[in-house]
Amino acid sequence: MKNKIIFLSCFILVSLTSFSQSISSSPYSLYGVGSLYDSDFGPIPSMGSSGIALPSDSFINNLNPASLGFMPLNHFMLDVGGKAIATTYQSGSLTEKRNNFQFSHIAFAFPVTKNSGFSVALRPYSSSTFKISNLILPIADSQETYSLTAAGSGGLNNFDFSYGYRFGKKLTVGASAALLFGNTVDDRTFTVLNSTTTVHKRNDYNGLRAVLGSQYVIDSTFTIGTTFKLPARIKSSKVQSVETTNDGVVTVIESDVASDIDDYYMPLEIGVGISKRFKNVLNLSLDYEKSLWKDTKQSELYGDFVNQDRFALGFSYYNPKKFRKYWDRVKYFAGANFDTGYLEIDGKRVNNASVSIGLNLPIENTFSAFNISYSYGQKGRIANNLIKENYHKISINLSLDGIWFVKRKFE
């Protein structure tokens, strides 16, 4: 069983990461720096992306840097993951299906002292890959309309360093420093009557963001956690080319003109979570996060940024008293997630809801495990200028855990 799991996990992860450039193709990634990317570690995707109050005692918890204060001594953890997503897009009577294979993350963590831990992670922050053909939109303050054809690619990456420290046996605090960098390429064609305008631009982004977190153990079965993602300013610049075609005559307006653009602002995000264990076999994890996007005072040509609420619920089942068979050591997960979204288009929210199930398959004679989860979700709705997404997602994370600096007692 051990060799089969290792071979299967490595094969699937290599297959997925080889397609890492084929990131999300959601039409909503047209906005801002793209659709925000959920690159959760370990079993978190199986639990509805909940886990602010969970410790990093058996996997790297990317939701709260304070969790690193609970890392076991002499353990070195490595987590790498990927996703396979099948999406059906619906708009009125039109339907389109797309499949994507995505790199999710790579991270490692290790204890610094018996009360503290450190981690480094690389993952996508957003994806701006989309393709829209002949979308009819109204002209402001007019009865006329125009046609939009657009295609884009790129997104932002998140490279972060995290540290957590435990005071005594109950309180841990932590902090993360994240470097956000990347670019988006956007090609748009606007057609009004016999006139066509083509715009090609590349936007470059870079900036820093800090995250603070804490966890407090009420008793052996109950923990609470909090996170504060501080506001950040992401510096932006662009290179743009513009040309028009009118009755067959092409006129170049701009050619690779570099200029500054409005910076991208990330909001204050506050999260709180609880973790409660029942009868030592069932664990509940419940999170709530508030993102104050409206305070960034940003807007888009086709929509507005609004405050976002996210609710996440997760369950895990594991009976440590049974070890006679391999499947007795497997952990089982289920979860649900609801997100009101941070975009409002024509007065309508682009929300997202999903449910998930998953397994944690231990690799025999080690502390490592292979996590696999399945999620089904819906994003957006069928309405004017809106598209509904129905998606099936398989997340695969390989969590490797090795022991350092321990002498072998038996040969």
Side-chain angles (χ1 to χ4, degrees):
M1 176 65 72
K2 172 184 175 182
N3 292 333
K4 290 181 179 179
I5 292 177
I6 294 176
F7 175 78
L8 177 62
S9 60
C10 291
F11 173 78
I12 295 177
L13 287 173
V14 169
S15 299
L16 289 174
T17 54
S18 68
F19 290 94
S20 62
Q21 296 302 312
S22 183
I23 303 296
S24 170
S25 57
S26 170
Y28 294 112
S29 66
L30 169 75
Y31 299 91
V33 294
S35 299
L36 302 188
Y37 192 86
D38 57 336
S39 51
D40 296 322
F41 303 174
I44 291 178
S46 304
M47 303 174 65
S49 294
S50 65
I52 289 177
L54 295 178
S56 289
D57 55 356
S58 60
F59 72 97
I60 306 172
N61 181 359
N62 63 289
L63 299 181
N64 191 342
S67 66
L68 294 168
F70 289 105
M71 278 203 68
L73 198 60
N74 298 324
H75 284 243
F76 178 88
M77 297 182 183
L78 174 67
D79 204 291
V80 61
K83 301 176 186 293
I85 303 178
T87 308
T88 300
Y89 302 93
Q90 294 177 288
S91 177
S93 60
L94 300 178
T95 300
E96 182 178 347
K97 295 183 178 181
R98 297 179 188 174
N99 299 321
N100 289 281
F101 301 92
Q102 308 174 2
F103 166 74
S104 174
H105 65 273
I106 183 170
F108 67 85
F110 55 87
V112 178
T113 68
K114 66 177 182 179
N115 293 328
S116 64
F118 177 81
S119 73
V120 177
L122 176 64
R123 48 185 164 151
Y125 171 78
S126 69
S127 168
S128 182
T129 302
F130 58 88
K131 186 175 182 180
I132 299 174
S133 299
N134 299 320
L135 178 64
I136 304 301
L137 296 169
I139 298 176
D141 301 323
S142 171
Q143 299 297 319
E144 302 296 328
T145 61
Y146 68 95
S147 171
L148 168 66
T149 296
S153 62
L156 267 63
N157 301 299
N158 185 108
F159 184 52
D160 64 65
F161 301 86
S162 301
Y163 178 78
Y165 186 86
R166 176 164 48 91
F167 296 90
K169 296 182 178 180
K170 291 184 174 292
L171 175 65
T172 64
V173 296
S176 295
L179 171 63
L180 296 162
F181 63 96
N183 62 74
T184 60
V185 176
D186 192 326
D187 292 289
R188 302 190 188 189
T189 300
F190 304 88
T191 302
V192 181
L193 299 177
N194 295 325
S195 177
T196 299
T197 301
T198 301
V199 180
H200 170 82
K201 66 178 179 179
R202 171 190 168 117
N203 293 347
D204 292 289
Y205 303 92
N206 67 85
L208 295 172
R209 192 186 198 190
V211 179
L212 305 176
S214 68
Q215 290 182 342
Y216 186 78
V217 179
I218 304 297
D219 58 40
S220 60
T221 66
F222 187 41
T223 303
I224 60 174
T226 59
T227 57
F228 298 89
K229 299 178 182 178
L230 302 183
R233 178 181 180 180
I234 309 301
K235 295 182 180 180
S236 310
S237 62
K238 75 173 180 180
V239 176
Q240 178 172 280
S241 298
V242 180
E243 66 179 33
T244 62
T245 303
N246 197 343
D247 294 329
V249 179
V250 178
T251 303
V252 177
I253 307 299
E254 294 180 344
S255 180
D256 294 331
V257 176
S259 62
D260 293 328
I261 57 175
D262 291 340
D263 292 334
Y264 182 73
Y265 291 89
M266 300 176 66
L268 172 66
E269 299 181 72
I270 302 171
V272 60
I274 63 171
S275 174
K276 175 64 177 177
R277 190 168 67 251
F278 300 92
K279 296 184 178 181
N280 208 35
V281 296
L282 179 66
N283 195 87
L284 176 147
S285 180
L286 178 64
D287 292 355
Y288 168 73
E289 286 186 288
K290 181 79 171 183
S291 302
L292 304 178
W293 285 95
K294 190 174 182 179
D295 290 348
T296 64
K297 295 180 172 56
Q298 298 177 109
S299 63
E300 278 284 332
L301 178 61
Y302 309 110
D304 297 304
F305 287 88
V306 292
N307 292 341
Q308 177 184 25
D309 298 286
R310 187 181 75 88
F311 305 87
L313 173 66
F315 296 93
S316 66
Y317 176 83
Y318 173 59
N319 191 344
K321 296 181 181 180
K322 294 182 179 181
F323 283 99
R324 290 172 295 179
K325 296 180 181 180
Y326 176 82
W327 289 101
D328 292 336
R329 300 191 296 276
V330 172
K331 297 179 183 179
Y332 303 87
F333 302 93
N337 187 294
F338 178 75
D339 177 359
T340 62
Y342 61 95
L343 283 174
E344 189 173 79
I345 303 171
D346 291 339
K348 300 179 179 63
R349 289 287 191 106
V350 181
N351 54 32
N352 179 65
S354 65
V355 294
S356 57
I357 56 174
L359 298 173
N360 174 278
L361 303 172
I363 299 175
E364 294 184 61
N365 302 320
T366 72
F367 294 99
S368 304
F370 176 62
N371 297 282
I372 182 169
S373 71
Y374 164 77
S375 303
Y376 171 74
Q378 295 183 349
K379 181 178 181 179
R381 66 181 75 184
I382 299 176
N384 292 336
N385 303 327
L386 290 181
I387 295 173
K388 182 178 180 180
E389 302 178 17
N390 296 279
Y391 58 87
H392 302 268
K393 177 168 61 178
I394 294 177
S395 299
I396 298 170
N397 296 340
L398 180 61
S399 300
L400 299 175
D401 187 350
I403 298 180
W404 284 7
F405 310 121
V406 176
K407 294 183 179 180
R408 297 176 64 181
K409 295 184 180 180
F410 301 96
E411 294 296 336

